[in-house]
Amino acid sequence: MNIPSHNPKALELQLRKILSGIEKNISDWPKANQISEEMFLKTSNELQEKLKEIKSSEKKLSVQRKKLSEYVNQFAKPLYKKARDQAYSIHGKNSDKLKEYNFKKI
């Protein structure tokens, strides 16, 4: 027995194949278990909408990650380095004092 894919595009293809088999063998399927073209189209359309939402969210997330990276490189890392350098200039390699700043001896 085939397992439904976790990939939405692959799952849609699996559904299409199953639907075509049902249509070819309609007499074998009791009415209660039949899958209609309408059911498939609704599910297919919903899958496509969800994929579009995800792609849109991924683009927004990518932009935000880029902004975060720029912030880290422009502000956070230089601030860390400035604090680290100041701590080392004041305390040298005094491990106990540097631990108070959460710096490790280099």
Side-chain angles (χ1 to χ4, degrees), residues 34-80:
Q34 284 186 4
I35 300 171
S36 68
E37 180 75 20
E38 181 182 322
M39 292 167 70
F40 168 76
L41 288 175
K42 181 181 179 208
T43 302
S44 179
N45 289 339
E46 288 176 2
L47 278 172
Q48 291 304 316
E49 287 302 314
K50 298 288 183 201
L51 285 169
K52 285 178 189 176
E53 289 174 20
I54 288 169
K55 285 180 183 179
S56 174
S57 296
E58 285 174 341
K59 287 178 185 176
K60 290 176 187 174
L61 182 58
S62 178
V63 168
Q64 293 303 319
R65 280 193 174 126
K66 184 177 179 184
K67 287 181 182 179
L68 175 62
S69 179
E70 290 170 358
Y71 178 83
V72 165
N73 289 325
Q74 190 173 1
F75 298 106
K77 281 184 179 180
L79 180 60
Y80 176 88

